[in-house]
Amino acid sequence: MTATATPDTQYRGLVGRLPASLRPYALLGRFDRPIGWWLLFWPCAWGVWLAGGAERWGLVLWLLLGSIAMRAAGCVYNDIIDRDLDRQVARTAARPLASGAVSLKKAWAWLLLLCFVGLVVLLQLRWEAQVVALASILPVAAYPMMKRITWWPQAWLGMVFSWGALVGWVEISSANLAVLAALYAGAICWVIGYDTIYALQDREDDALVGVRSSARALGSKVRPGVAGFYVGAVAFWMLSFWLLREDWLALLALLPAAGHLLWQVATLEPDDGDNALARFRSNRTAGFLVALACLVVGNAGL
């Protein structure tokens, strides 16, 4: 088997050095594309730091490990469900399950191993955070079906990929839930925005196989649509900060992140797949900038 990278891959580094027998499993878990786990991790860090957990670096590292494992598990599960669709889409036809490089039985075994790593991380949390984390199982399991029944699967992904904010916050605090709700709502808007950008790469193939997406739903209005979701994200984050600290200076901490999102929209070229992919990947920086803002605002004066 020749492990051919899909067009949106970062096929290099450790994955490229793995033995040929292991490489398909790394590709199945998207270990060649770390952007996914960063996007899953950053809301976890936001929740911890905005709740005042500046010194909980051990917890943050556990959540990073959990994000890596569970993002990989989610990708494996998604590919199990979508293996027939993936064979019909140029960008995904070379994925290990779709191409036959990994059998369905072995994919399930790999999924269980990744879930075991997630369980180890779960056991590091207090019981309230464990309950919140476990509550994500059903929404995560339902996500692959959303592209078949709604034009806005990105909204469901927003709910799922932002769940770490709930876990991180509840691990630190059970108070100020209105602050958490606004932070979570902002994260959902952010995810819808960046995943709409990501979906631009597949619009033609998705139309051919009947897959729905926000990128197709928005049509020629993708750029203002993404801008609207990003404005919503920043507005909810500002509300979250304001509810925590009624201080206009706290809102200034979001200026770098807002500027970065503005750059994404201003330079987005919806018909250029490479441009869309680059803007999508740049959200690792956007998430980091929001994390810094949460760290400063959530721990000021401690």
Side-chain angles (χ1 to χ4, degrees):
M1 175 261 174
T2 301
T4 303
T6 54
D8 61 342
T9 188
Q10 291 181 341
Y11 186 61
R12 59 175 186 250
L14 292 177
V15 173
R17 297 186 180 95
L18 287 173
S21 60
L22 296 180
R23 202 173 301 151
Y25 297 95
L27 296 175
L28 187 59
R30 311 290 197 278
F31 287 107
D32 57 323
R33 286 183 281 168
I35 180 60
W37 74 60
W38 284 116
L39 295 177
L40 187 60
F41 164 70
W42 283 128
C44 300
W46 301 350
V48 171
W49 287 336
L50 194 61
E55 298 180 355
R56 298 289 301 275
W57 289 100
L59 169 64
V60 171
L61 291 176
W62 275 114
L63 292 174
L64 175 58
L65 176 61
S67 298
I68 294 171
M70 297 318 295
R71 184 265 187 156
C75 290
V76 175
Y77 175 73
N78 187 78
D79 283 9
I80 289 172
I81 300 299
D82 283 353
R83 60 191 184 279
D84 293 329
L85 276 177
D86 285 345
R87 294 187 183 103
Q88 304 175 59
V89 177
R91 188 177 60 82
T92 59
R95 286 179 175 174
L97 262 174
S99 65
V102 174
S103 70
L104 183 58
K105 182 178 180 179
K106 290 181 178 179
W108 278 111
W110 180 215
L111 175 60
L112 290 175
L113 179 60
L114 291 166
C115 288
F116 175 76
V117 176
L119 176 61
V120 172
V121 175
L122 183 71
L123 294 176
Q124 311 309 310
L125 307 177
R126 66 182 185 133
W127 74 266
E128 294 92 339
Q130 290 177 358
V131 171
V132 172
L134 289 172
S136 70
I137 292 177
L138 286 179
V140 169
Y143 169 68
M145 313 300 176
M146 293 299 111
K147 68 186 72 174
R148 296 167 171 83
I149 63 176
T150 175
W151 283 98
W152 292 90
Q154 281 70 27
W156 196 271
L157 183 72
M159 180 175 65
V160 170
F161 250 61
S162 304
W163 207 276
L166 307 179
V167 176
W169 180 283
V170 172
E171 174 64 20
I172 300 298
S173 172
S174 298
N176 294 323
L177 295 184
V179 176
L180 173 58
L183 178 69
Y184 182 60
I188 291 174
C189 290
W190 176 57
V191 175
I192 296 173
Y194 73 59
D195 202 55
T196 297
I197 293 175
Y198 184 77
L200 288 171
Q201 302 170 89
D202 295 332
R203 281 196 294 186
E204 293 183 5
D205 285 335
D206 285 349
L208 289 174
V209 301
V211 170
R212 302 175 182 183
S213 73
S214 55
R216 290 187 61 205
L218 288 168
S220 61
K221 298 179 180 179
V222 165
R223 183 182 285 114
V226 171
F229 285 114
Y230 280 170
V231 167
V234 174
F236 276 120
W237 291 333
M238 290 175 67
L239 175 61
S240 180
F241 284 17
W242 183 259
L243 291 173
L244 185 66
R245 298 183 184 279
E246 294 186 10
D247 185 342
W248 290 104
L249 288 177
L251 304 185
L252 296 180
L254 286 168
L255 282 179
H260 181 85
L261 296 177
L262 175 62
W263 167 81
Q264 285 187 39
V265 173
T267 61
L268 177 64
E269 298 176 16
D271 295 324
D272 185 337
D274 289 339
N275 173 279
L277 182 60
R279 300 305 174 275
F280 164 74
R281 285 178 174 163
S282 75
N283 280 283
R284 174 169 52 188
T285 300
F288 172 69
L289 293 173
V290 177
L292 289 181
C294 290
L295 181 63
V296 170
V297 173
N299 299 275
L302 294 182

